[in-house]
Amino acid sequence: MAAERHIKMLAVKGEVLAFQCKTRDHRKGSEVSFQSLSFNRDSQSFSVRDRTSSPIHKDSSAEMVIVHCCSALDVQQRQKVPCVLLRLCKKRTSAFRYKLYSICTSTDAKLQAEFVLPYEIRDNISIVRGPTFIWSHENAVFYVSSQTAGVKELPISIRVNFIGELPLRQRKIVIQGAQNAPSDQPNVQNVLYFIEDGRCFNSACFVPDAYSSVIQCMMVFSAEEVDSDLRSAVLVATSMKQLVLFESGLPRDVCLLPYEQPMNIQIVNTLKNDCLVVVTFSQGNVCTVWKDTFQVACCWTGVRQLLIDDFVGCGTDQMLLVFESSSEEPLSSFLLTDLCAITYSCGRSDDEELNASDAAQENHLLTVQALESRLQSGLNVLEDLQRDVAVKDRLLQQSLVALNDLVSGREHFISSPQQEGLVSLWEDDDDDDPGDEEDHGMQTECAEGALKVHRVWRRFIGQSLIFGVVLTTTNTSVTNISASVVLDSRQSAAVMNTKTVILPFPASDASVAHGPSPVKIRRSDCSANSGGSRLALVAVTEAAPLLTSGSVRCPIMLHYSTKESSGSPAGEKARLSQHCGQISLDLKDISMGKLHPRLLRDCKLNTDEAREDLLSLMALLDVCFFLVECLDHTLADVQGWLQESLRFERLEIDPSFTADPTGIRLVRWEQNSPFQGILSVYCRDELSLLHFLHSLCDFLPVSHDIQPLERPRSLAGSLAQTLQMEIQTVTQDLCSVLRSDEGARREEAESHASSQPIQTLREEWLKERGRYNERLRPLLDETRYSRLIERMIHRQLDADEAALMEAPCL
Amino acid sequence: MTVEGKFESDEEVDRWSEENNNIIVTWKQNERGLEPNQNVRKRCCLESLKLLQKIQGIPAATERLKLEMTVSYNTFLFSLSFSNASEIEESLTHSLLRVLEAAGSQVSSSDPVRLWKAVLQTFGTSVYVPYVHKLLLIQWMLWLMQCQLEKVLTLLTQTNHKREHSAPVNLQTETRNLALSMEEDSSLMVAMAAKDLKDLLHICTVVCQGVEQMKMEKYSEALEAFQEAKGLPSPRSLLAQIHTLTGQSFAKLGQPHCALHFYRKAVEVDCACHSALYQSALVFRQLGNPKAEMEALRLLYSAVQLQSDKSSSSTSLVCPATLSGEQMTFISRIPSPSLILHSLAHTCVFNGSISDGVEYYLDLLASLQSDGKDLILTGNGTSLPRIPVVYLEAAFALLKAERYSDALVVCEEVITSTLDFIPERVLLDADEKQNVADSDVVLENVDFVLWAGAAHLLQAQAHWKLKDTKEAITNFTRAINHLVKVFSKQKDWKQKYLGNTEAMVERMVILEAAKGQALAGRGLCFLERGQLKEALRDLHLSLQMTPGCKNIKMWLTEVLWRLDRKEEALTHWREADRDAPKSVILPLYLQLWPDDTAFDFSDLKKKMEEYVQAKTT
């Protein structure tokens, strides 16, 4: 009859201690014995040193079970001894008898404690220093040792998570768990209870309370008492399939575990100072985790028992995984490894070998990468140093040469900075500020209108008087138009300083030529405008001097240059003036707000007055241009933001403008492409501009880039546009330059068709030949040609300008 | 016994929030750089994942709910580039279950649609809505990546449940009217603002719909979708892609000029939009504009090369290309660089810009050799023609460019590599029932014969051009010897019999033409050497192979004239003008005499005209 055998194993001093419980027969009772096995490197297997096993306890009548075995410190002997707890159960009695033995020598066992309980111990069985045997039963914790007279019960009621020893000086045996609070407090408290002195700590210094409900098993890695505070490193396996490392109660690292129901956490001190955390699960699963990287190293299934000790005798720990097997022998199928250098396998097929997880391999890869980058950076530093040394060498050499020259009285030439690869810290640029052309006096000579004046208006905003003149240039060569108000003519005919702006009227296109008075306009080059498109000349001036002088009607003068007088050299153009009407000013009107632009109050207006209002505002307000760009995304909806967030309103007369109804502010948003737009802000002062920009920057997403522009690029035209215009100028205008009086000649030819056919034919032939000659080598109209050349130059200038604007972006 | 109070979890929330914000700050700093460091990205992803694991390591609770959902959102966004959609979806489901657990409601199923219903019902109007909606965006994204538009629709309809139910359910309107709460919490930073993600998802959903329509060949509907997409905020590359798709739809609708317009727009928006260039090359080919086609291909090739030089790492957290599903990547795919190069070279040679074509062919051969592919065995995996064909085309181009010795070398390569594969003879028996595998083998053998024959033919041409008629005759003969290895039992093999596939008929036509050319070539060589009888025989045979070829008839006239068989010569002369040659589509490398202007027959013409006049008078 085959003996029913229960084997429990324990690692002791590099050997395996196997406890066997033989239940021979109901009549003969059972026997618990032990024997030790040691690892033999040569045979790569465990062998029994002594064939005979030493009996611990023999009982003929009771059924015996090995409940628990582990090593614990024997306080009397001051050394670690293997302990084993046996349960004896006699038939027909409901009580359980427990015996705690410690193994003193290789053959002897010593009974440490013996007690009888009416129940079977199941929960939190542990044997700690003493040897003390601790267990819990229904929220009560009991302990027993050779020192205690019988079973003691802890004075507090606690739901135990962990029973163990801490490496502390005074208190060592600790129980961690949730204390069942008195009924008036709803919450449970998690405490650390020290058995030696009965002190209770909040266990939050170990593990946060939030984890208390999920802790399945726990292991104290290190603990230290500093100023009545516990510093600890604790490993916890939770029911969330996680292994968590806590340092002084803070979750430091997490590792996901592949199996459920962890039972035990152990540490393996392997080679290379690396620790392995081994988690044993129910149903024979084992998972190892590198402590450094906190990643799963290896997993095994079907493990019966896991022992950790230095079985090989190399100085560091190994894991001994004992697998389930059908064999009778206690260690027939095992794996002995430390996952580094040592691997011995027995009774297992090869394919069940180490299945190092991907994560581990990835770790190695990362390590190599890190080393590589360190090597690289080291090389870089070395190169830098070498460069430094070279520079220093050269410096020394030069100094030596200089010194040599000095001593020998030669003149020393300092090499140029460029040769030395030096860069001067400040630019030695030459001052070539293009001084503004001064207006050398104005001849008030009245020429007959090169400018045709249609209408004059005036507005009054704040302190400023704005007056505008709608005019048409009848002559293409008019340049430098400006306007001025003449003060009371009876007294000294003072001319007010004005800032003049010329805008096309109606304000459809935004080609504003801003600048100090007098404004230079290059209208002549625009064929569309040469005929008779209307321009609005808007001038801004201080209103106060006008009003103090008491005059209510002021004449307005227009000043302009013309190039008609071709005799004079190019620089000195004749400056002409023209009276173009007058404006009346009345303080009463102003105070009643009659002259205030109505457009600001009602954006829906669409009248000529509103147009004048807009022009006045554009002339008065300072304008700043901003380029809003986003490289990799379409722009945010700026127009929508203006209207929805800032409550600006679109102008009916020019929908590209948005006006601020609360203040005097205009904003113009033009989107050239989905990725780029130009924002023109018309403001009275810088503060309101800043205010606006601040809210704009808040609104724009991070990816957007905003930068100020000297002047809007769209006004200068993009490079492509200007080049296109240049080509157009050449292709379209070239034909107009050719002198074309062909029509006249044809008529001429027809009129002569009379007598003497041969003569006529001959003449005709000659004419025809001449005409073909002309066609081949056409004559040019001189003035038209020079105009074309001028236009071309302007076009090319524009293109150059656009190219220069583009250049920094490229 | 001192036991501290219950502020523990608040502390935890603070600590974890800080940890989350630190990760985001690191990420954003890294992204702000010119070239984001991939390692930093990965570290951020791992740290975020760790943080999420820590948070999810304890039971879910409402006080940590905002934190947990934010960290989940961030982690999912980070892991987009490091893990696949199904993994993310799994952890999203887990997160949702925990969210419900925190709220105390239990849902047994882990079906995302049901889960979302429960989550949206539970948190309908609570303070957690912005966070729930962040996770909802992730779900939307995942489904969009898998092109599960119906699920997206269900999800969005559930979100919009406050609205009236009567309106017909339509994804476009649902996305347009989507009211998600997008408030951001400054104490819990996110990797990507929910609003930005929502905008991106919105446009990608619209594009995805358009692509679906394209797949169903409903191009007008697709255009509508793309039109809507163009009005939405979009990343640059995606906008370019939308323009390209618009162009493709137009091209399918038979409006190639509209298509070109949109391809141009696409390139304007994003010069890295290669598919637009490729598509425009296709349109130009269709329009018969070889110059523009070559230009487009050339641009495309240089663009592809430029891009392959710099390692392209996706710069954005969420790549719109992956969002719009596989179909779009399929539609906007461009061929491999070597295929582009081949198209370019072929187009150049085909349209007469020989010298460019030669350069491209040589580049292509170099790249093929550097890939170390076997000449013969590399199969037709890509749509690149078989490599010997490329070699033959290159040799043809070299011949045209008068680089005869180079052409000889390239042909030699084909000859030596095909040598071992050429069968003794190939018998085409249409009566025999052949299975598909057999006919493939036969076809392959015919190809080997054809390539070797063509290589010899080209070599002979090169020798002839080098005035080495003897060597030319040898090679012409070799070509003929190769080409006659294939013969058919049926007389009229052009008829389609059982097992006589179209490919086979095509091969036979080509073989016949090659034979004709080889014979004619040899005939001309004989003529040059004064061996008139041999010349007459070969030219006659050649004319049988390629009936109606004007050049051959003219040469035949010449030979007959020299043999003093003037009447026959006259008959052929008259025939030559009468019969228009039958047009047979030949591969590029056999188009040696593309038209009638290949030879100068003015002397012959004169002679014949004189003879005719003499006869009549």
Side-chain angles (χ1 to χ4, degrees):
Chain A
M1 187 176 170
E4 217 179 295
R5 283 147 63 114
H6 296 285
I7 298 179
K8 289 235 171 180
M9 281 175 276
L10 189 62
V12 181
K13 295 171 192 161
E15 292 182 348
V16 178
L17 204 61
F19 297 96
Q20 282 191 22
C21 176
K22 291 178 199 160
T23 313
R24 288 194 194 151
D25 207 313
H26 292 301
R27 280 156 293 166
K28 285 180 187 169
S30 48
E31 177 196 74
V32 172
S33 59
F34 69 95
Q35 60 183 159
S36 68
L37 298 98
S38 59
F39 184 69
N40 188 336
R41 278 201 195 209
D42 298 329
S43 63
Q44 299 199 356
S45 61
F46 283 88
S47 53
V48 186
R49 202 192 291 149
D50 194 357
R51 266 275 147 213
T52 57
S53 53
S54 322
I56 300 173
H57 187 84
K58 213 175 199 174
D59 199 309
S60 55
S61 58
E63 197 178 320
M64 249 189 297
V65 177
I66 304 168
V67 180
H68 189 64
C69 61
C70 80
S71 293
L73 187 82
D74 188 328
V75 186
Q76 285 164 349
Q77 291 182 28
R78 290 173 184 275
Q79 64 169 348
K80 266 201 158 181
V81 289
C83 301
V84 60
L85 181 74
L86 305 178
R87 187 183 70 213
L88 290 81
C89 177
K90 281 206 173 111
K91 280 181 186 167
R92 292 187 296 275
T93 51
S94 58
F96 297 91
R97 176 173 293 272
Y98 288 90
K99 281 171 186 271
L100 180 67
Y101 282 99
S102 65
I103 314 294
C104 322
T105 63
S106 58
T107 51
D108 286 346
K110 178 183 167 194
L111 182 67
Q112 293 280 356
E114 184 175 3
F115 51 95
V116 179
L117 291 176
Y119 56 86
E120 197 180 328
I121 301 174
R122 282 214 172 86
D123 302 327
N124 300 303
I125 303 159
S126 40
I127 301 170
V128 293
R129 53 182 279 132
T132 311
F133 175 61
I134 310 179
W135 75 96
S136 72
H137 185 73
E138 289 171 348
N139 291 336
V141 181
F142 305 93
Y143 61 99
V144 63
S145 75
S146 58
Q147 274 79 32
T148 59
V151 176
K152 296 267 163 131
E153 185 183 348
L154 247 56
I156 60 167
S157 156
I158 193 168
R159 193 162 51 78
V160 178
N161 277 328
F162 166 75
I163 300 170
E165 288 172 77
L166 298 189
L168 299 174
R169 195 173 297 164
Q170 296 143 4
R171 300 176 278 270
K172 302 210 168 166
I173 304 172
V174 73
I175 295 165
Q176 195 271 337
Q179 184 186 9
N180 290 358
S183 55
D184 54 321
Q185 283 178 15
N187 296 326
V188 290
Q189 285 172 330
N190 294 294
V191 290
L192 276 181
Y193 182 86
F194 288 93
I195 286 188
E196 280 96 335
D197 53 6
R199 278 186 63 172
C200 206
F201 284 84
N202 186 344
S203 78
C205 61
F206 241 54
V207 178
D209 286 349
Y211 279 88
S212 63
S213 60
V214 292
I215 293 177
Q216 299 244 314
C217 59
M218 188 159 131
M219 195 237 143
V220 179
F221 194 69
S222 72
E224 188 185 2
E225 208 171 5
V226 180
D227 303 334
S228 76
D229 217 16
L230 266 181
R231 274 195 205 154
S232 59
V234 177
L235 285 164
V236 166
T238 67
S239 55
M240 304 291 210
K241 286 176 82 176
Q242 286 186 340
L243 179 71
V244 193
L245 171 68
F246 294 93
E247 280 174 12
S248 300
L250 301 181
R252 188 62 62 205
D253 218 336
V254 182
C255 172
L256 295 189
L257 295 173
Y259 307 112
E260 304 230 19
Q261 297 177 337
M263 300 203 309
N264 191 13
I265 306 174
Q266 285 164 283
I267 291 286
V268 185
N269 293 302
T270 61
L271 282 168
K272 298 192 234 165
N273 292 329
D274 204 355
C275 280
L276 268 174
V277 181
V278 189
V279 187
T280 323
F281 300 84
S282 68
Q283 282 146 13
N285 297 323
V286 171
C287 173
T288 52
V289 176
W290 293 109
K291 176 142 187 302
D292 277 12
T293 56
F294 227 64
Q295 280 177 328
V296 174
C298 222
C299 299
W300 293 275
T301 52
V303 179
R304 221 182 90 197
Q305 201 171 359
L306 175 82
L307 300 175
I308 291 164
D309 208 329
D310 183 10
F311 300 103
V312 179
C314 67
T316 53
D317 285 345
Q318 300 99 42
M319 285 179 281
L320 177 63
L321 296 141
V322 184
F323 295 97
E324 305 277 359
S325 76
S326 50
S327 167
E328 291 279 304
E329 286 297 305
L331 277 165
S332 58
S333 169
F334 69 88
L335 176 70
L336 182 67
T337 182
D338 66 350
L339 292 185
C340 299
I342 301 161
T343 304
Y344 296 105
S345 176
C346 179
R348 280 167 64 74
S349 54
D350 282 346
D351 53 54
E352 285 172 290
E353 281 289 289
L354 288 169
N355 54 340
S357 67
D358 288 345
Q361 283 180 4
E362 202 175 352
N363 275 339
H364 293 307
L365 192 71
L366 286 177
T367 316
V368 171
Q369 274 177 357
L371 286 175
E372 267 177 0
S373 62
R374 234 175 76 184
L375 192 68
Q376 191 62 46
S377 67
L379 270 178
N380 287 344
V381 170
L382 194 67
E383 273 172 17
D384 283 349
L385 285 176
Q386 277 171 346
R387 223 170 292 137
D388 275 2
V389 167
V391 168
K392 276 179 189 157
D393 277 351
R394 210 177 54 203
L395 200 66
L396 275 177
Q397 211 175 352
Q398 291 218 342
S399 311
L400 273 178
V401 170
L403 190 64
N404 213 3
D405 285 349
L406 190 69
V407 170
S408 58
R410 274 184 305 220
E411 199 182 337
H412 178 66
F413 292 103
I414 301 165
S415 51
S416 73
Q418 277 86 356
Q419 237 175 309
E420 291 295 305
L422 300 176
V423 179
S424 82
L425 285 176
W426 62 89
E427 298 215 22
D428 28 11
D429 52 355
D430 28 11
D431 295 335
D432 52 356
D433 289 347
D436 274 290
E437 297 169 42
E438 284 296 315
D439 228 0
H440 293 299
M442 271 185 286
Q443 296 156 287
T444 43
E445 164 195 341
C446 229
E448 194 31 62
L451 303 172
K452 194 172 165 224
V453 175
H454 296 276
R455 202 165 67 238
V456 179
W457 81 83
R458 68 205 193 287
R459 291 291 184 280
F460 199 87
I461 303 169
Q463 300 244 317
S464 312
L465 170 73
I466 303 132
F467 60 91
V469 183
V470 181
L471 47 83
T472 336
T473 51
T474 51
N475 195 318
T476 52
S477 57
V478 172
T479 55
N480 280 4
I481 314 176
S482 64
S484 59
V485 195
V486 182
L487 279 186
D488 188 15
S489 48
R490 279 169 296 171
Q491 294 166 17
S492 55
V495 178
M496 293 293 299
N497 256 341
T498 54
K499 172 186 145 193
T500 317
V501 173
I502 294 182
L503 304 157
F505 186 89
S508 58
D509 185 23
S511 43
V512 190
H514 269 273
S517 165
V519 181
K520 201 189 268 175
I521 50 162
R522 260 195 244 123
R523 280 277 141 217
S524 55
D525 53 36
C526 203
S527 56
N529 282 325
S530 61
S533 86
R534 289 176 172 196
L535 295 177
L537 185 134
V538 190
V540 182
T541 186
E542 282 285 299
L546 291 174
L547 291 170
T548 49
S549 73
S551 67
V552 286
R553 295 179 87 80
C554 305
I556 292 172
M557 301 296 287
L558 289 179
H559 317 284
Y560 56 91
S561 310
T562 169
K563 279 185 285 177
E564 282 298 271
S565 47
S566 51
S568 58
E572 289 173 40
K573 293 165 191 161
R575 192 89 177 122
L576 302 173
S577 295
Q578 184 181 339
H579 176 76
C580 72
Q582 49 187 351
I583 50 170
S584 63
L585 282 176
D586 194 343
L587 206 53
K588 210 186 259 174
D589 286 352
I590 294 168
S591 54
M592 282 170 73
K594 270 189 183 171
L595 295 180
H596 196 260
R598 283 168 62 202
L599 183 69
L600 287 176
R601 266 170 270 147
D602 184 7
C603 296
K604 300 274 184 302
L605 280 179
N606 191 3
T607 55
D608 270 355
E609 278 72 41
R611 217 156 280 140
E612 289 164 10
D613 285 345
L614 178 61
L615 291 173
S616 308
L617 284 170
M618 282 168 74
L620 172 73
L621 300 177
D622 292 324
V623 60
C624 291
F625 303 105
F626 297 95
L627 179 70
V628 183
E629 247 182 327
C630 182
L631 281 182
D632 51 2
H633 202 275
T634 47
L635 288 181
D637 185 9
V638 174
Q639 188 68 46
W641 168 73
L642 286 171
Q643 284 172 255
E644 277 159 30
S645 295
L646 296 187
R647 311 235 167 266
F648 281 25
E649 285 173 43
R650 269 199 168 177
L651 295 186
E652 192 79 13
I653 38 164
D654 187 350
S656 68
F657 278 97
T658 326
D660 178 8
T662 55
I664 303 168
R665 216 158 31 161
L666 286 176
V667 178
R668 182 190 171 96
W669 171 243
E670 292 164 285
Q671 206 164 335
N672 324 350
S673 77
F675 306 98
Q676 199 185 55
I678 286 170
L679 192 72
S680 323
V681 189
Y682 294 78
C683 270
R684 290 210 69 178
D685 49 19
E686 288 177 340
L687 192 67
S688 65
L689 175 67
L690 280 179
H691 199 72
F692 175 79
L693 286 181
H694 185 75
S695 44
L696 176 68
C697 288
D698 272 353
F699 157 72
L700 287 179
V702 201
S703 55
H704 285 49
D705 185 34
I706 175 165
Q707 49 186 352
L709 283 181
E710 283 291 306
R711 61 195 190 115
R713 221 174 274 171
S714 71
L715 300 193
S718 68
L719 182 58
Q721 258 175 350
T722 48
L723 287 175
Q724 204 177 356
M725 294 272 265
E726 197 179 320
I727 294 167
Q728 265 176 6
T729 315
V730 177
T731 53
Q732 290 179 355
D733 297 1
L734 211 55
C735 357
S736 70
V737 170
L738 300 178
R739 191 182 270 168
S740 58
D741 27 284
E742 226 164 82
R745 288 197 191 191
R746 193 165 292 152
E747 277 174 32
E748 205 180 314
E750 274 167 28
S751 64
H752 279 282
S754 55
S755 60
Q756 289 163 328
I758 299 172
Q759 184 65 25
T760 358
L761 281 175
R762 187 183 170 76
E763 270 177 25
E764 211 170 305
W765 175 72
L766 277 174
K767 263 183 211 157
E768 196 79 356
R769 203 176 64 170
R771 218 163 67 214
Y772 277 116
N773 268 340
E774 258 175 44
R775 266 199 190 169
L776 279 177
R777 286 178 286 278
L779 288 177
L780 295 179
D781 189 313
E782 180 200 355
T783 49
R784 280 186 202 169
Y785 177 72
S786 57
R787 224 172 285 159
L788 170 73
I789 292 299
E790 193 189 336
R791 266 205 295 275
M792 279 296 302
I793 288 171
H794 284 312
R795 282 273 168 264
Q796 282 173 349
L797 273 177
D798 282 346
D800 288 354
E801 222 170 313
L804 279 175
M805 297 281 286
E806 291 278 329
C809 316
L810 292 177
Chain B
M1 195 165 103
T2 54
V3 176
E4 293 292 318
K6 276 292 289 178
F7 299 102
E8 189 62 30
S9 54
D10 284 343
E11 269 172 40
E12 244 143 53
V13 169
D14 288 349
R15 198 169 51 238
W16 283 335
S17 303
E18 200 188 322
E19 218 171 298
N20 170 64
N21 293 353
N22 285 340
I23 295 168
I24 301 297
V25 167
T26 316
W27 173 277
K28 290 202 163 156
Q29 263 169 2
N30 182 44
E31 294 302 302
R32 221 168 285 147
L34 274 177
E35 275 189 22
N37 188 344
Q38 203 64 26
N39 287 340
V40 176
R41 285 180 171 179
K42 184 141 202 193
R43 207 178 64 218
C44 285
C45 176
L46 285 178
E47 275 174 13
S48 189
L49 186 65
K50 268 267 147 85
L51 179 60
L52 182 62
Q53 285 173 357
K54 276 188 215 169
I55 295 169
Q56 296 192 337
I58 51 179
T62 42
E63 61 261 32
R64 286 186 297 270
L65 205 50
K66 289 179 183 175
L67 172 76
E68 188 176 331
M69 285 197 268
T70 309
V71 176
S72 302
Y73 173 75
N74 286 335
T75 310
F76 297 146
L77 284 179
F78 287 145
S79 36
L80 272 179
S81 33
F82 300 108
S83 47
N84 57 30
S86 60
E87 278 170 24
I88 300 174
E89 184 150 19
E90 210 171 281
S91 24
L92 178 62
T93 309
H94 179 62
S95 288
L96 289 182
L97 283 169
R98 280 183 59 88
V99 166
L100 286 171
E101 181 194 328
S105 51
Q106 291 290 316
V107 171
S108 52
S109 97
S110 64
D111 170 43
V113 179
R114 285 214 198 126
L115 271 181
W116 272 111
K117 197 170 175 186
V119 168
L120 288 171
Q121 272 171 3
T122 314
F123 292 95
T125 51
S126 65
V127 288
Y128 303 106
V129 169
Y131 305 91
V132 170
H133 282 176
K134 282 194 179 77
L135 293 184
L136 185 124
L137 290 175
I138 299 281
Q139 183 71 67
W140 181 1
M141 176 164 71
L142 292 173
W143 279 337
L144 187 60
M145 281 162 88
Q146 298 155 3
C147 262
Q148 296 180 321
L149 293 183
E150 319 81 52
K151 283 192 182 175
V152 173
L153 178 60
T154 323
L155 183 68
L156 300 187
T157 322
Q158 280 174 2
T159 319
N160 285 353
H161 70 285
K162 280 162 252 167
R163 257 167 268 284
E164 70 276 14
H165 286 276
S166 56
V169 183
N170 168 314
L171 187 52
Q172 256 178 36
T173 49
E174 286 293 335
T175 29
R176 215 177 292 140
N177 301 331
L178 192 58
L180 294 182
S181 125
M182 293 283 135
E183 293 110 59
E184 300 290 349
D185 184 349
S186 56
S187 63
L188 282 170
M189 291 170 76
V190 286
M192 184 178 187
K195 192 188 164 296
D196 293 349
L197 181 58
K198 190 217 135 193
D199 284 349
L200 187 61
L201 288 173
H202 187 173
I203 187 169
C204 285
T205 310
V206 177
V207 172
C208 195
Q209 277 180 297
V211 172
E212 292 266 290
Q213 302 283 11
M214 275 180 85
K215 234 176 82 184
M216 292 186 284
E217 303 191 341
K218 293 182 188 165
Y219 297 109
S220 315
E221 285 86 344
L223 280 176
E224 267 170 43
F226 297 140
Q227 191 58 41
E228 182 175 347
K230 272 178 228 165
L232 299 170
S234 136
R236 190 180 277 267
S237 57
L238 185 61
L239 187 63
Q241 208 56 259
I242 295 166
H243 281 311
T244 314
L245 289 168
T246 311
Q248 276 169 283
S249 304
F250 271 120
K252 293 279 186 194
L253 286 172
Q255 300 179 27
H257 291 284
C258 285
L260 284 178
H261 173 73
F262 279 101
Y263 296 145
R264 206 197 68 193
K265 264 191 153 173
V267 180
E268 268 175 13
V269 167
D270 182 12
C271 55
C273 185
H274 296 162
S275 54
L277 274 175
Y278 178 65
Q279 293 295 334
S280 46
L282 292 185
V283 170
F284 282 128
R285 183 176 301 169
Q286 187 197 332
L287 288 176
N289 186 348
K291 245 185 169 173
E293 186 194 342
M294 279 190 272
E295 193 55 43
L297 284 172
R298 197 173 296 150
L299 279 174
L300 176 63
Y301 182 61
S302 48
V304 169
Q305 269 189 320
L306 270 181
Q307 204 205 23
S308 63
D309 284 351
K310 53 179 178 184
S311 54
S312 57
S313 57
S314 70
T315 44
S316 55
L317 191 63
V318 183
C319 179
T322 56
L323 273 191
S324 307
E326 288 166 21
Q327 291 157 19
M328 193 171 103
T329 14
F330 181 74
I331 286 182
S332 62
R333 196 167 52 176
I334 57 159
S336 66
S338 54
L339 190 56
I340 295 170
L341 191 55
H342 177 256
S343 302
L344 180 55
H346 191 276
T347 316
C348 281
V349 173
F350 195 76
N351 293 296
S353 47
I354 302 291
S355 59
D356 286 349
V358 165
E359 290 310 313
Y360 293 131
Y361 267 118
L362 291 182
D363 285 353
L364 180 59
L365 294 194
S367 81
L368 288 178
Q369 266 173 357
S370 69
D371 288 353
K373 281 181 185 162
D374 189 88
L375 203 60
I376 298 298
L377 296 179
T378 305
N380 219 351
T382 60
S383 40
L384 188 73
R386 293 291 295 265
I387 293 173
V389 174
V390 178
Y391 270 71
L392 287 171
E393 284 174 0
F396 173 79
L398 285 165
L399 198 65
K400 283 267 171 184
E402 303 183 353
R403 291 166 64 173
Y404 303 118
S405 47
D406 294 339
L408 286 175
V409 173
V410 174
C411 286
E412 197 59 45
E413 191 82 11
V414 179
I415 292 165
T416 48
S417 54
T418 45
L419 196 63
D420 298 336
F421 297 94
I422 291 179
E424 204 47 47
R425 54 178 32 194
V426 186
L427 177 66
L428 299 182
D429 192 351
D431 288 341
E432 237 175 78
K433 290 214 170 165
Q434 290 169 328
N435 57 29
V436 181
D438 270 354
S439 77
D440 276 355
V441 170
V442 171
L443 205 62
E444 183 89 353
N445 283 336
V446 172
D447 273 342
F448 289 139
V449 168
L450 179 62
W451 294 334
H456 279 298
L457 182 60
L458 287 171
Q459 273 196 332
Q461 291 282 352
H463 283 300
W464 190 34
K465 295 274 182 184
L466 288 169
K467 306 280 181 218
D468 187 353
T469 43
K470 201 178 158 218
E471 198 59 29
I473 288 173
T474 320
N475 275 300
F476 276 129
T477 313
R478 278 189 197 147
I480 294 162
N481 288 343
H482 275 306
L483 293 170
V484 295
K485 281 180 181 166
V486 181
F487 68 97
S488 170
K489 267 193 173 174
Q490 277 71 35
K491 273 271 159 61
D492 194 6
W493 43 261
K494 281 182 190 172
Q495 290 293 316
K496 263 183 110 179
Y497 289 103
L498 284 167
N500 211 2
T501 57
E502 208 158 321
M504 194 66 86
V505 171
E506 184 201 317
R507 292 294 195 294
M508 290 305 287
V509 171
I510 294 170
L511 264 178
E512 211 69 353
K515 251 186 269 181
Q517 285 190 7
L519 283 164
R522 196 168 67 174
L524 290 185
C525 286
F526 281 131
L527 177 65
E528 222 157 90
R529 291 166 72 93
Q531 294 168 288
L532 295 179
K533 281 203 174 134
E534 286 85 348
L536 186 65
R537 180 198 64 206
D538 281 357
L539 286 172
H540 263 305
L541 283 172
S542 170
L543 197 57
Q544 278 179 17
M545 299 290 170
T546 49
C549 176
K550 188 180 172 187
N551 283 318
I552 298 173
K553 282 181 186 165
M554 295 292 258
W555 283 119
L556 208 53
T557 316
E558 172 84 29
V559 174
L560 288 168
W561 183 267
R562 288 216 209 158
L563 283 169
D564 211 24
R565 291 156 69 173
K566 293 188 181 171
E567 274 306 310
E568 284 176 67
L570 187 63
T571 330
H572 279 291
W573 164 254
R574 283 183 176 149
E575 259 180 24
D577 274 342
R578 216 174 28 236
D579 288 6
K582 261 200 323 187
S583 63
V584 174
I585 298 159
L586 290 179
L588 181 69
Y589 55 88
L590 286 178
Q591 297 185 359
L592 282 168
W593 302 326
D595 48 13
D596 299 342
T597 57
F599 299 102
D600 183 20
F601 291 111
S602 54
D603 274 354
L604 181 68
K605 222 173 188 171
K606 220 162 117 190
K607 277 188 281 186
M608 293 310 296
E609 271 162 10
E610 275 169 14
Y611 178 67
V612 172
Q613 275 213 327
K615 260 186 80 171
T616 46
T617 53

